[in-house]
Amino acid sequence: GPAQLATFTAAARAAGATLPFIASVAVYTDERSARVLQRFPGLHLDAAVVERVLTAPDTVVAGIAAAVAEARALLAVPGVVGVNLSGLASAHGEATAAAVKAEVATRIREEGR
């Protein structure tokens, strides 16, 4: 999350790191894509956000909104210059997953203006 990332980037800067940071954003829009990420070692997803996405009337809309919100919060951390849209995004194939991630990226760019 943003607080942990801010602690990490501050510590890295204090230790002399000068490189820009890229944060990872979990992208999921259905049960399968969420569960794959939840099983990934070392990754923690907010259970309340996952539940909100998976119980939404339109899980794709909710998943995109959750990813955009996470990205905006991470991009607000000093030193973070970009995000990596990670995860399966959709269990409905690569084209659908790519469209989901493209929509997330478009909204991140639009909201950043």
Side-chain angles (χ1 to χ4, degrees):
Q4 295 97 336
L5 181 59
T7 299
F8 172 80
T9 58
R13 292 281 187 245
T18 59
L19 58 113
F21 294 96
I22 306 293
S24 182
V25 173
V27 183
Y28 52 92
T29 58
D30 51 42
E31 183 86 22
R32 180 172 175 232
S33 60
R35 300 306 177 219
V36 166
L37 285 169
Q38 286 179 314
R39 288 191 301 270
F40 194 82
L43 178 65
H44 170 75
L45 298 182
D46 184 324
V49 175
V50 173
E51 183 67 18
R52 190 167 52 247
V53 169
L54 296 182
T55 60
D58 187 330
T59 60
V60 174
V61 169
I64 289 170
V68 170
E70 181 180 10
R72 298 301 323 148
L74 295 174
L75 286 165
V77 173
V80 175
V81 299
V83 293
N84 172 21
L85 302 179
S86 302
L88 188 60
S90 173
H92 299 287
E94 294 169 353
T96 301
V100 165
K101 287 183 179 182
E103 183 61 24
V104 171
T106 297
R107 291 186 189 185
I108 293 167
R109 279 193 307 271
E110 287 174 352
E111 291 178 16
R113 292 182 188 164

Coordinates of all heavy atoms in Angstrom, one line a residue:
G1 N 0.8 -1.2 0.0 CA 0.0 0.0 0.0 C 0.8 1.3 0.0 O 2.1 1.2 0.1
P2 N 0.2 2.4 -0.1 CA 0.9 3.7 -0.2 C 1.8 3.9 1.0 O 2.9 4.4 0.9 CB -0.2 4.7 -0.4 CG -1.3 4.0 -0.9 CD -1.2 2.6 -0.4
A3 N 1.3 3.6 2.2 CA 2.1 3.9 3.4 C 3.4 3.1 3.5 O 4.5 3.6 3.8 CB 1.2 3.7 4.7
Q4 N 3.3 1.8 3.2 CA 4.4 1.0 3.2 C 5.4 1.4 2.1 O 6.6 1.4 2.3 CB 4.1 -0.5 3.0 CG 3.3 -1.1 4.1 CD 1.8 -1.1 3.8 OE1 1.3 -0.3 3.0 NE2 1.0 -1.9 4.5
L5 N 4.9 1.8 0.9 CA 5.7 2.2 -0.2 C 6.5 3.5 0.2 O 7.6 3.6 -0.1 CB 4.9 2.4 -1.5 CG 5.7 2.8 -2.7 CD1 6.8 1.8 -3.0 CD2 4.7 3.0 -3.9
A6 N 5.8 4.4 0.8 CA 6.4 5.7 1.2 C 7.5 5.4 2.2 O 8.6 6.0 2.1 CB 5.4 6.6 1.8
T7 N 7.3 4.5 3.2 CA 8.3 4.1 4.1 C 9.5 3.5 3.4 O 10.7 3.9 3.7 CB 7.8 3.1 5.2 OG1 6.7 3.7 5.9 CG2 8.9 2.7 6.1
F8 N 9.3 2.6 2.5 CA 10.4 2.0 1.7 C 11.1 3.0 0.9 O 12.4 3.0 0.9 CB 9.8 0.9 0.8 CG 10.8 0.3 -0.2 CD1 11.7 -0.6 0.3 CD2 10.9 0.8 -1.5 CE1 12.7 -1.1 -0.6 CE2 11.9 0.3 -2.3 CZ 12.8 -0.7 -1.9
T9 N 10.4 3.9 0.1 CA 11.1 4.8 -0.7 C 11.9 5.8 0.1 O 13.1 6.2 -0.3 CB 10.2 5.5 -1.7 OG1 9.2 6.2 -0.9 CG2 9.5 4.6 -2.7
A10 N 11.4 6.2 1.2 CA 12.1 7.1 2.1 C 13.4 6.5 2.6 O 14.5 7.1 2.7 CB 11.3 7.6 3.3
A11 N 13.3 5.2 3.0 CA 14.5 4.5 3.5 C 15.5 4.3 2.4 O 16.7 4.4 2.6 CB 14.0 3.1 4.1
A12 N 15.0 4.0 1.2 CA 15.9 3.8 0.1 C 16.6 5.1 -0.2 O 17.9 5.1 -0.5 CB 15.1 3.3 -1.1
R13 N 15.9 6.2 -0.2 CA 16.6 7.5 -0.5 C 17.6 7.8 0.6 O 18.7 8.3 0.3 CB 15.5 8.6 -0.5 CG 14.6 8.5 -1.7 CD 15.3 9.1 -2.9 NE 14.3 9.2 -4.0 CZ 14.4 8.5 -5.1 NH1 15.4 7.6 -5.3 NH2 13.4 8.6 -6.1
A14 N 17.2 7.5 1.9 CA 18.2 7.8 3.0 C 19.4 6.9 2.9 O 20.5 7.3 3.3 CB 17.5 7.5 4.3
A15 N 19.3 5.8 2.3 CA 20.4 4.9 2.1 C 21.2 5.3 0.8 O 22.3 4.6 0.5 CB 20.0 3.4 2.0
G16 N 20.8 6.3 0.1 CA 21.5 6.8 -1.1 C 20.9 6.4 -2.4 O 21.5 6.8 -3.5
A17 N 19.8 5.8 -2.5 CA 19.2 5.4 -3.8 C 18.7 6.7 -4.5 O 18.1 7.6 -3.9 CB 18.0 4.5 -3.6
T18 N 19.0 6.8 -5.8 CA 18.6 8.0 -6.6 C 17.7 7.6 -7.7 O 17.3 8.5 -8.4 CB 19.8 8.7 -7.1 OG1 20.6 7.8 -7.9 CG2 20.7 9.2 -6.0
L19 N 17.5 6.3 -7.9 CA 16.7 5.9 -9.0 C 15.2 6.1 -8.8 O 14.7 6.2 -7.7 CB 16.9 4.4 -9.3 CG 16.6 3.5 -8.1 CD1 15.4 2.6 -8.5 CD2 17.8 2.6 -7.8
P20 N 14.4 6.3 -9.9 CA 13.0 6.4 -9.8 C 12.3 5.1 -9.4 O 12.9 4.0 -9.7 CB 12.5 6.9 -11.2 CG 13.6 6.4 -12.1 CD 14.9 6.3 -11.3
F21 N 11.2 5.1 -8.8 CA 10.5 3.9 -8.4 C 9.3 3.6 -9.3 O 8.5 4.6 -9.6 CB 10.1 4.0 -6.9 CG 11.2 4.1 -6.0 CD1 11.7 5.3 -5.5 CD2 11.9 2.9 -5.6 CE1 12.8 5.3 -4.7 CE2 13.0 2.9 -4.7 CZ 13.4 4.2 -4.3
I22 N 9.0 2.4 -9.6 CA 7.8 1.9 -10.3 C 7.1 1.0 -9.3 O 7.6 0.1 -8.8 CB 8.2 1.1 -11.6 CG1 9.1 1.9 -12.5 CG2 6.9 0.6 -12.3 CD1 8.5 3.1 -13.1
A23 N 5.8 1.3 -9.1 CA 5.0 0.6 -8.1 C 4.1 -0.4 -8.9 O 3.7 -0.1 -10.0 CB 4.1 1.5 -7.3
S24 N 3.8 -1.5 -8.3 CA 2.9 -2.5 -8.9 C 1.5 -2.3 -8.5 O 1.2 -2.1 -7.3 CB 3.4 -3.9 -8.5 OG 2.7 -4.9 -9.1
V25 N 0.6 -2.4 -9.5 CA -0.8 -2.2 -9.2 C -1.5 -3.5 -9.6 O -1.4 -4.0 -10.7 CB -1.4 -1.0 -10.0 CG1 -3.0 -1.0 -9.9 CG2 -0.8 0.3 -9.6
A26 N -2.3 -4.1 -8.7 CA -3.0 -5.3 -8.9 C -4.2 -5.0 -9.8 O -5.0 -4.1 -9.4 CB -3.4 -6.0 -7.6
V27 N -4.4 -5.7 -10.9 CA -5.6 -5.5 -11.8 C -6.3 -6.8 -11.8 O -5.8 -7.9 -12.3 CB -5.2 -5.1 -13.2 CG1 -6.4 -4.8 -14.0 CG2 -4.3 -3.8 -13.1
Y28 N -7.6 -6.8 -11.4 CA -8.5 -8.0 -11.4 C -9.9 -7.5 -11.6 O -10.3 -6.4 -11.1 CB -8.3 -8.8 -10.1 CG -8.5 -8.0 -8.8 CD1 -9.7 -7.8 -8.2 CD2 -7.4 -7.3 -8.3 CE1 -9.9 -7.1 -7.1 CE2 -7.6 -6.6 -7.1 CZ -8.8 -6.4 -6.6 OH -9.0 -5.7 -5.4
T29 N -10.7 -8.3 -12.3 CA -12.1 -7.9 -12.6 C -13.0 -9.1 -12.4 O -14.2 -9.0 -12.7 CB -12.2 -7.4 -14.0 OG1 -11.8 -8.4 -14.9 CG2 -11.4 -6.1 -14.2
D30 N -12.6 -10.2 -11.9 CA -13.4 -11.4 -11.7 C -12.7 -12.3 -10.7 O -11.6 -12.0 -10.2 CB -13.7 -12.1 -13.0 CG -12.4 -12.4 -13.8 OD1 -11.4 -12.8 -13.2 OD2 -12.4 -12.3 -15.0
E31 N -13.5 -13.3 -10.3 CA -13.0 -14.2 -9.2 C -11.7 -14.8 -9.6 O -10.7 -14.8 -8.7 CB -14.1 -15.3 -9.1 CG -13.8 -16.3 -8.0 CD -14.3 -15.9 -6.6 OE1 -15.2 -15.0 -6.5 OE2 -13.7 -16.4 -5.6
R32 N -11.5 -15.3 -10.7 CA -10.2 -16.0 -11.1 C -9.1 -15.1 -11.0 O -8.0 -15.4 -10.5 CB -10.3 -16.7 -12.4 CG -9.0 -17.4 -12.8 CD -9.2 -18.2 -14.1 NE -7.9 -18.8 -14.5 CZ -7.3 -18.6 -15.6 NH1 -8.0 -18.0 -16.6 NH2 -6.2 -19.1 -15.9
S33 N -9.2 -13.9 -11.7 CA -8.1 -13.0 -11.7 C -7.7 -12.4 -10.3 O -6.5 -12.2 -10.0 CB -8.3 -11.8 -12.7 OG -9.5 -11.1 -12.4
A34 N -8.7 -12.3 -9.4 CA -8.4 -11.9 -8.1 C -7.7 -13.0 -7.3 O -6.8 -12.7 -6.6 CB -9.7 -11.5 -7.4
R35 N -8.2 -14.2 -7.4 CA -7.7 -15.3 -6.6 C -6.3 -15.6 -7.0 O -5.4 -16.0 -6.2 CB -8.6 -16.6 -6.7 CG -10.0 -16.4 -6.2 CD -10.1 -15.8 -4.8 NE -11.5 -15.6 -4.4 CZ -11.9 -14.6 -3.7 NH1 -11.1 -13.7 -3.3 NH2 -13.2 -14.5 -3.4
V36 N -5.9 -15.5 -8.3 CA -4.5 -15.7 -8.7 C -3.6 -14.8 -8.0 O -2.6 -15.2 -7.5 CB -4.4 -15.6 -10.3 CG1 -3.0 -15.5 -10.7 CG2 -5.1 -16.8 -11.0
L37 N -4.0 -13.5 -8.0 CA -3.2 -12.5 -7.3 C -3.1 -12.8 -5.8 O -2.0 -12.6 -5.1 CB -3.7 -11.1 -7.5 CG -3.4 -10.6 -8.9 CD1 -4.2 -9.3 -9.2 CD2 -1.9 -10.3 -9.1
Q38 N -4.2 -13.2 -5.2 CA -4.2 -13.4 -3.7 C -3.3 -14.6 -3.4 O -2.8 -14.6 -2.2 CB -5.6 -13.7 -3.3 CG -6.5 -12.5 -3.2 CD -7.9 -12.8 -2.7 OE1 -8.5 -13.7 -3.2 NE2 -8.4 -12.0 -1.8
R39 N -3.1 -15.5 -4.3 CA -2.2 -16.7 -4.0 C -0.7 -16.3 -4.3 O 0.2 -17.2 -4.0 CB -2.6 -17.9 -4.8 CG -3.9 -18.5 -4.3 CD -4.2 -19.8 -4.9 NE -4.3 -19.8 -6.4 CZ -5.4 -19.6 -7.0 NH1 -6.6 -19.4 -6.4 NH2 -5.5 -19.6 -8.4
F40 N -0.4 -15.2 -4.9 CA 0.9 -14.8 -5.2 C 1.7 -14.6 -4.0 O 1.4 -13.7 -3.1 CB 0.9 -13.6 -6.1 CG 2.2 -13.4 -6.8 CD1 2.5 -14.1 -8.0 CD2 3.2 -12.5 -6.3 CE1 3.8 -13.9 -8.6 CE2 4.4 -12.3 -7.0 CZ 4.7 -13.0 -8.1
P41 N 2.9 -15.3 -3.8 CA 3.7 -15.1 -2.6 C 4.2 -13.7 -2.4 O 4.7 -13.1 -3.3 CB 4.9 -16.1 -2.8 CG 4.4 -17.0 -3.8 CD 3.4 -16.3 -4.7
G42 N 4.0 -13.2 -1.2 CA 4.5 -11.8 -0.9 C 3.6 -10.7 -1.2 O 3.8 -9.6 -0.9
L43 N 2.5 -11.0 -2.0 CA 1.6 -9.9 -2.4 C 0.4 -9.9 -1.4 O -0.2 -11.0 -1.1 CB 1.1 -10.2 -3.8 CG 0.1 -9.2 -4.4 CD1 0.7 -7.8 -4.5 CD2 -0.4 -9.6 -5.7
H44 N 0.0 -8.8 -1.0 CA -1.2 -8.6 -0.1 C -2.2 -7.7 -0.8 O -1.9 -6.6 -1.2 CB -0.8 -8.1 1.2 CG -2.0 -7.7 2.1 ND1 -2.8 -8.7 2.7 CD2 -2.6 -6.5 2.3 CE1 -3.8 -8.1 3.3 NE2 -3.7 -6.8 3.1
L45 N -3.4 -8.2 -1.0 CA -4.5 -7.4 -1.5 C -5.4 -7.1 -0.4 O -5.7 -8.0 0.5 CB -5.3 -8.2 -2.6 CG -4.5 -8.6 -3.9 CD1 -5.5 -9.3 -4.8 CD2 -3.9 -7.4 -4.5
D46 N -6.0 -5.9 -0.4 CA -6.9 -5.5 0.6 C -8.2 -6.3 0.4 O -8.9 -6.2 -0.6 CB -7.2 -4.0 0.5 CG -8.1 -3.5 1.5 OD1 -9.1 -4.2 2.0 OD2 -7.9 -2.3 1.9
A47 N -8.5 -7.2 1.4 CA -9.7 -8.1 1.3 C -11.0 -7.3 1.1 O -11.8 -7.8 0.4 CB -9.7 -9.0 2.6
A48 N -11.1 -6.2 1.7 CA -12.3 -5.4 1.6 C -12.5 -4.9 0.2 O -13.6 -4.9 -0.4 CB -12.3 -4.2 2.6
V49 N -11.4 -4.5 -0.5 CA -11.5 -4.0 -1.8 C -11.8 -5.2 -2.8 O -12.6 -5.1 -3.7 CB -10.1 -3.3 -2.3 CG1 -10.2 -2.9 -3.7 CG2 -9.9 -2.1 -1.4
V50 N -11.1 -6.3 -2.6 CA -11.4 -7.5 -3.4 C -12.9 -7.9 -3.3 O -13.6 -8.1 -4.3 CB -10.5 -8.7 -3.0 CG1 -11.0 -10.0 -3.7 CG2 -9.1 -8.4 -3.3
E51 N -13.4 -7.9 -2.1 CA -14.8 -8.2 -1.9 C -15.7 -7.2 -2.5 O -16.7 -7.6 -3.2 CB -15.1 -8.3 -0.4 CG -16.6 -8.7 0.0 CD -16.9 -10.1 -0.4 OE1 -16.0 -10.9 -0.6 OE2 -18.1 -10.4 -0.5
R52 N -15.4 -5.9 -2.4 CA -16.2 -4.9 -3.1 C -16.2 -5.1 -4.6 O -17.3 -4.9 -5.2 CB -15.7 -3.5 -2.7 CG -16.5 -2.4 -3.1 CD -16.2 -1.0 -2.5 NE -14.8 -0.7 -2.6 CZ -13.9 -0.6 -1.6 NH1 -14.3 -0.9 -0.4 NH2 -12.7 -0.2 -1.8
V53 N -15.1 -5.4 -5.2 CA -15.0 -5.6 -6.6 C -15.8 -6.8 -7.0 O -16.6 -6.8 -7.9 CB -13.5 -5.8 -7.1 CG1 -13.5 -6.3 -8.6 CG2 -12.8 -4.4 -7.0
L54 N -15.6 -7.9 -6.3 CA -16.3 -9.2 -6.7 C -17.8 -9.2 -6.4 O -18.5 -10.1 -7.0 CB -15.6 -10.4 -6.0 CG -14.1 -10.6 -6.4 CD1 -13.5 -11.8 -5.6 CD2 -13.9 -10.7 -7.9
T55 N -18.3 -8.4 -5.6 CA -19.7 -8.3 -5.3 C -20.4 -7.2 -6.0 O -21.6 -7.0 -5.9 CB -20.0 -8.3 -3.8 OG1 -19.4 -7.1 -3.3 CG2 -19.5 -9.5 -3.1
A56 N -19.7 -6.4 -6.8 CA -20.3 -5.3 -7.5 C -21.2 -5.8 -8.6 O -21.0 -6.9 -9.2 CB -19.1 -4.4 -8.1
P57 N -22.2 -5.0 -8.9 CA -23.1 -5.3 -10.1 C -22.3 -5.5 -11.4 O -22.6 -6.4 -12.2 CB -24.0 -4.2 -10.2 CG -24.0 -3.5 -8.8 CD -22.6 -3.7 -8.3
D58 N -21.3 -4.7 -11.6 CA -20.4 -4.9 -12.8 C -19.0 -5.0 -12.3 O -18.3 -4.0 -11.9 CB -20.6 -3.7 -13.7 CG -19.8 -3.8 -15.0 OD1 -18.8 -4.5 -15.0 OD2 -20.3 -3.3 -16.0
T59 N -18.4 -6.2 -12.2 CA -17.1 -6.4 -11.6 C -16.0 -5.8 -12.5 O -15.0 -5.4 -12.0 CB -16.8 -7.9 -11.4 OG1 -16.9 -8.6 -12.7 CG2 -17.8 -8.5 -10.4
V60 N -16.2 -5.7 -13.8 CA -15.2 -5.0 -14.6 C -15.1 -3.6 -14.3 O -14.0 -3.0 -14.1 CB -15.5 -5.3 -16.1 CG1 -14.6 -4.5 -17.0 CG2 -15.5 -6.8 -16.5
V61 N -16.2 -2.9 -14.2 CA -16.2 -1.4 -13.9 C -15.6 -1.3 -12.5 O -14.7 -0.4 -12.3 CB -17.6 -0.9 -13.9 CG1 -17.7 0.5 -13.3 CG2 -18.1 -0.8 -15.3
A62 N -16.0 -2.1 -11.5 CA -15.4 -2.0 -10.2 C -13.9 -2.3 -10.1 O -13.2 -1.7 -9.4 CB -16.2 -2.9 -9.2
G63 N -13.5 -3.3 -10.9 CA -12.1 -3.7 -10.9 C -11.2 -2.6 -11.5 O -10.1 -2.3 -11.0
I64 N -11.7 -2.0 -12.6 CA -11.0 -0.9 -13.2 C -10.9 0.3 -12.2 O -9.8 0.8 -12.0 CB -11.6 -0.5 -14.5 CG1 -11.4 -1.6 -15.6 CG2 -11.1 0.8 -15.0 CD1 -12.2 -1.4 -16.8
A65 N -12.0 0.6 -11.6 CA -12.0 1.7 -10.6 C -11.0 1.4 -9.5 O -10.3 2.4 -9.0 CB -13.4 2.0 -10.1
A66 N -11.0 0.2 -9.0 CA -10.1 -0.1 -7.9 C -8.6 0.0 -8.3 O -7.8 0.5 -7.5 CB -10.4 -1.5 -7.4
A67 N -8.3 -0.5 -9.5 CA -6.9 -0.4 -10.0 C -6.5 1.1 -10.2 O -5.4 1.5 -9.8 CB -6.8 -1.1 -11.3
V68 N -7.4 1.9 -10.7 CA -7.1 3.3 -10.9 C -6.9 4.0 -9.6 O -5.9 4.8 -9.4 CB -8.2 4.0 -11.7 CG1 -8.0 5.5 -11.8 CG2 -8.2 3.5 -13.2
A69 N -7.7 3.7 -8.6 CA -7.6 4.3 -7.3 C -6.3 3.9 -6.6 O -5.6 4.8 -6.0 CB -8.8 3.9 -6.4
E70 N -5.9 2.7 -6.7 CA -4.6 2.2 -6.2 C -3.5 2.9 -6.9 O -2.5 3.4 -6.3 CB -4.5 0.7 -6.3 CG -3.2 0.2 -5.7 CD -3.0 -1.4 -5.8 OE1 -3.8 -2.0 -6.5 OE2 -2.1 -1.9 -5.2
A71 N -3.5 3.0 -8.2 CA -2.5 3.6 -9.0 C -2.3 5.1 -8.6 O -1.2 5.5 -8.4 CB -2.7 3.5 -10.5
R72 N -3.4 5.8 -8.5 CA -3.3 7.2 -8.1 C -2.7 7.4 -6.7 O -1.9 8.3 -6.5 CB -4.7 7.9 -8.1 CG -5.4 7.9 -9.4 CD -4.8 8.6 -10.6 NE -4.0 9.8 -10.4 CZ -2.9 10.1 -11.1 NH1 -2.5 9.4 -12.1 NH2 -2.3 11.2 -10.8
A73 N -3.1 6.5 -5.8 CA -2.5 6.6 -4.4 C -1.0 6.3 -4.4 O -0.2 7.0 -3.8 CB -3.2 5.6 -3.5
L74 N -0.6 5.3 -5.2 CA 0.8 5.0 -5.3 C 1.6 6.0 -6.0 O 2.8 6.3 -5.6 CB 1.0 3.6 -5.9 CG 0.4 2.4 -5.2 CD1 0.5 1.1 -6.0 CD2 1.1 2.3 -3.8
L75 N 1.1 6.6 -7.1 CA 1.8 7.7 -7.8 C 1.9 8.9 -7.0 O 2.8 9.8 -7.3 CB 1.0 8.0 -9.1 CG 1.2 6.9 -10.2 CD1 0.1 7.1 -11.3 CD2 2.6 6.9 -10.8
A76 N 1.2 9.1 -5.9 CA 1.3 10.3 -5.0 C 2.5 10.1 -4.1 O 2.9 11.1 -3.4 CB 0.0 10.5 -4.3
V77 N 3.1 8.9 -4.0 CA 4.2 8.7 -3.1 C 5.5 9.4 -3.7 O 5.7 9.1 -4.9 CB 4.4 7.2 -2.9 CG1 5.7 7.0 -2.1 CG2 3.3 6.6 -2.2
P78 N 6.2 10.2 -3.0 CA 7.4 10.8 -3.5 C 8.4 9.8 -4.1 O 8.6 8.8 -3.4 CB 7.9 11.6 -2.3 CG 6.8 11.8 -1.5 CD 5.9 10.6 -1.6
G79 N 8.9 10.1 -5.3 CA 9.8 9.2 -5.9 C 9.2 8.2 -6.8 O 9.9 7.6 -7.7
V80 N 7.9 7.9 -6.8 CA 7.2 7.0 -7.6 C 6.9 7.7 -8.9 O 6.2 8.7 -8.9 CB 6.0 6.4 -7.0 CG1 5.2 5.5 -8.0 CG2 6.3 5.6 -5.7
V81 N 7.4 7.2 -10.0 CA 7.2 7.9 -11.3 C 6.3 7.1 -12.3 O 6.0 7.6 -13.3 CB 8.6 8.1 -12.0 CG1 9.5 9.0 -11.2 CG2 9.3 6.8 -12.3
G82 N 6.0 5.9 -11.9 CA 5.1 5.1 -12.8 C 4.6 3.9 -12.1 O 4.9 3.6 -10.9
V83 N 3.7 3.2 -12.8 CA 3.1 1.9 -12.2 C 3.2 0.8 -13.2 O 3.2 1.1 -14.4 CB 1.7 2.1 -11.7 CG1 1.6 3.1 -10.6 CG2 0.8 2.6 -12.9
N84 N 3.3 -0.4 -12.7 CA 3.2 -1.6 -13.5 C 1.9 -2.2 -13.3 O 1.5 -2.6 -12.1 CB 4.3 -2.6 -13.1 CG 4.2 -3.9 -13.7 OD1 3.6 -4.1 -14.8 ND2 4.9 -4.9 -13.1
L85 N 1.0 -2.3 -14.3 CA -0.3 -3.0 -14.2 C -0.1 -4.5 -14.2 O 0.2 -5.0 -15.2 CB -1.2 -2.5 -15.3 CG -1.4 -1.0 -15.4 CD1 -2.3 -0.6 -16.5 CD2 -1.9 -0.4 -14.0
S86 N -0.3 -5.1 -13.0 CA 0.1 -6.5 -12.8 C -1.2 -7.3 -12.7 O -2.2 -6.9 -12.2 CB 0.9 -6.6 -11.6 OG 2.1 -5.9 -11.7
G87 N -1.0 -8.6 -13.0 CA -2.1 -9.5 -12.8 C -2.8 -10.0 -14.1 O -2.6 -9.4 -15.2
L88 N -3.6 -11.0 -13.9 CA -4.4 -11.6 -15.0 C -5.4 -10.6 -15.6 O -5.7 -10.6 -16.8 CB -5.1 -12.8 -14.5 CG -5.8 -13.7 -15.5 CD1 -4.8 -14.3 -16.5 CD2 -6.4 -14.9 -14.7
A89 N -5.9 -9.7 -14.8 CA -6.9 -8.7 -15.2 C -8.3 -9.3 -15.5 O -9.3 -8.7 -15.1 CB -6.4 -7.8 -16.3
S90 N -8.3 -10.4 -16.2 CA -9.6 -11.0 -16.6 C -9.4 -12.4 -16.9 O -8.4 -12.8 -17.5 CB -10.2 -10.3 -17.8 OG -11.3 -10.9 -18.3
A91 N -10.4 -13.2 -16.6 CA -10.3 -14.7 -16.9 C -10.9 -14.9 -18.3 O -11.0 -16.1 -18.7 CB -11.1 -15.5 -15.9
H92 N -11.3 -13.8 -19.0 CA -11.9 -14.0 -20.3 C -11.0 -13.8 -21.5 O -11.4 -13.4 -22.6 CB -13.1 -13.0 -20.4 CG -14.1 -13.2 -19.3 ND1 -15.0 -14.3 -19.4 CD2 -14.4 -12.5 -18.2 CE1 -15.8 -14.2 -18.3 NE2 -15.4 -13.2 -17.6
G93 N -9.7 -14.1 -21.3 CA -8.8 -14.2 -22.4 C -7.9 -13.0 -22.4 O -8.1 -11.9 -21.8
E94 N -6.9 -13.1 -23.2 CA -5.8 -12.1 -23.3 C -6.3 -10.8 -23.9 O -5.9 -9.7 -23.4 CB -4.6 -12.6 -24.1 CG -3.9 -13.7 -23.5 CD -2.9 -14.5 -24.4 OE1 -2.9 -14.1 -25.6 OE2 -2.2 -15.3 -23.9
A95 N -7.2 -10.8 -24.9 CA -7.7 -9.6 -25.5 C -8.5 -8.8 -24.5 O -8.4 -7.6 -24.4 CB -8.5 -9.9 -26.7
T96 N -9.3 -9.5 -23.7 CA -10.1 -8.8 -22.7 C -9.2 -8.2 -21.6 O -9.4 -7.1 -21.2 CB -11.2 -9.8 -22.1 OG1 -12.0 -10.2 -23.1 CG2 -12.0 -9.1 -21.0
A97 N -8.3 -9.0 -21.2 CA -7.3 -8.5 -20.2 C -6.6 -7.3 -20.7 O -6.4 -6.3 -19.9 CB -6.3 -9.6 -19.8
A98 N -6.1 -7.3 -21.9 CA -5.4 -6.2 -22.5 C -6.3 -4.9 -22.5 O -5.9 -3.8 -22.3 CB -4.9 -6.5 -23.9
A99 N -7.6 -5.1 -22.9 CA -8.5 -4.0 -22.9 C -8.8 -3.4 -21.5 O -8.8 -2.2 -21.4 CB -9.9 -4.5 -23.5
V100 N -8.8 -4.3 -20.5 CA -9.0 -3.8 -19.1 C -7.8 -3.0 -18.7 O -7.9 -1.9 -18.2 CB -9.2 -5.0 -18.2 CG1 -9.0 -4.6 -16.7 CG2 -10.6 -5.6 -18.4
K101 N -6.6 -3.5 -19.0 CA -5.4 -2.8 -18.6 C -5.2 -1.5 -19.4 O -4.8 -0.4 -18.8 CB -4.2 -3.6 -18.8 CG -4.1 -4.7 -17.7 CD -2.8 -5.5 -17.8 CE -2.8 -6.6 -16.7 NZ -1.5 -7.4 -16.8
A102 N -5.6 -1.5 -20.7 CA -5.6 -0.2 -21.5 C -6.6 0.8 -20.9 O -6.2 2.0 -20.8 CB -6.0 -0.6 -22.9
E103 N -7.7 0.4 -20.4 CA -8.7 1.3 -19.8 C -8.1 1.9 -18.5 O -8.3 3.1 -18.2 CB -10.0 0.6 -19.6 CG -11.1 1.5 -19.0 CD -11.4 2.7 -19.9 OE1 -11.2 2.7 -21.2 OE2 -11.9 3.7 -19.4
V104 N -7.5 1.0 -17.7 CA -6.9 1.5 -16.5 C -5.8 2.5 -16.8 O -5.8 3.6 -16.2 CB -6.3 0.3 -15.7 CG1 -5.5 0.8 -14.5 CG2 -7.4 -0.6 -15.2
A105 N -5.0 2.2 -17.7 CA -3.9 3.2 -18.1 C -4.5 4.5 -18.6 O -4.0 5.6 -18.2 CB -3.0 2.6 -19.2
T106 N -5.5 4.4 -19.4 CA -6.1 5.7 -20.0 C -6.7 6.5 -18.8 O -6.5 7.7 -18.8 CB -7.2 5.3 -21.0 OG1 -6.6 4.6 -22.1 CG2 -8.0 6.5 -21.5
R107 N -7.4 5.9 -17.9 CA -8.0 6.6 -16.8 C -6.9 7.2 -15.9 O -7.0 8.3 -15.4 CB -8.9 5.8 -16.0 CG -10.2 5.5 -16.8 CD -11.2 4.7 -16.0 NE -12.3 4.3 -16.9 CZ -13.3 3.7 -16.4 NH1 -13.5 3.5 -15.1 NH2 -14.3 3.3 -17.2
I108 N -5.8 6.5 -15.7 CA -4.7 7.0 -14.8 C -4.2 8.3 -15.5 O -4.0 9.3 -14.8 CB -3.6 6.0 -14.6 CG1 -4.1 4.8 -13.8 CG2 -2.4 6.6 -14.0 CD1 -3.2 3.6 -13.8
R109 N -3.9 8.2 -16.8 CA -3.4 9.4 -17.5 C -4.3 10.5 -17.5 O -3.9 11.7 -17.3 CB -3.0 9.0 -19.0 CG -1.7 8.3 -19.1 CD -1.3 8.2 -20.6 NE -2.3 7.7 -21.5 CZ -2.4 6.4 -21.7 NH1 -1.6 5.5 -21.2 NH2 -3.4 6.0 -22.6
E110 N -5.6 10.3 -17.7 CA -6.6 11.3 -17.8 C -6.8 12.0 -16.4 O -6.9 13.2 -16.4 CB -8.0 10.8 -18.2 CG -8.0 10.4 -19.7 CD -9.3 9.8 -20.1 OE1 -10.1 9.4 -19.2 OE2 -9.5 9.6 -21.3
E111 N -6.8 11.2 -15.4 CA -6.9 11.8 -14.0 C -5.7 12.5 -13.6 O -5.7 13.4 -12.6 CB -7.3 10.7 -13.0 CG -8.7 10.2 -13.3 CD -9.1 9.1 -12.3 OE1 -8.5 8.9 -11.3 OE2 -10.1 8.4 -12.6
G112 N -4.5 12.2 -14.2 CA -3.3 12.9 -13.8 C -3.1 14.2 -14.4 O -2.1 14.9 -14.1
R113 N -4.0 14.6 -15.3 CA -3.8 15.9 -16.0 C -4.4 17.0 -15.2 O -5.3 17.0 -14.4 CB -4.5 15.8 -17.4 CG -3.8 14.9 -18.3 CD -4.4 14.8 -19.6 NE -3.8 13.8 -20.4 CZ -4.3 13.3 -21.5 NH1 -5.4 13.7 -22.0 NH2 -3.7 12.3 -22.1

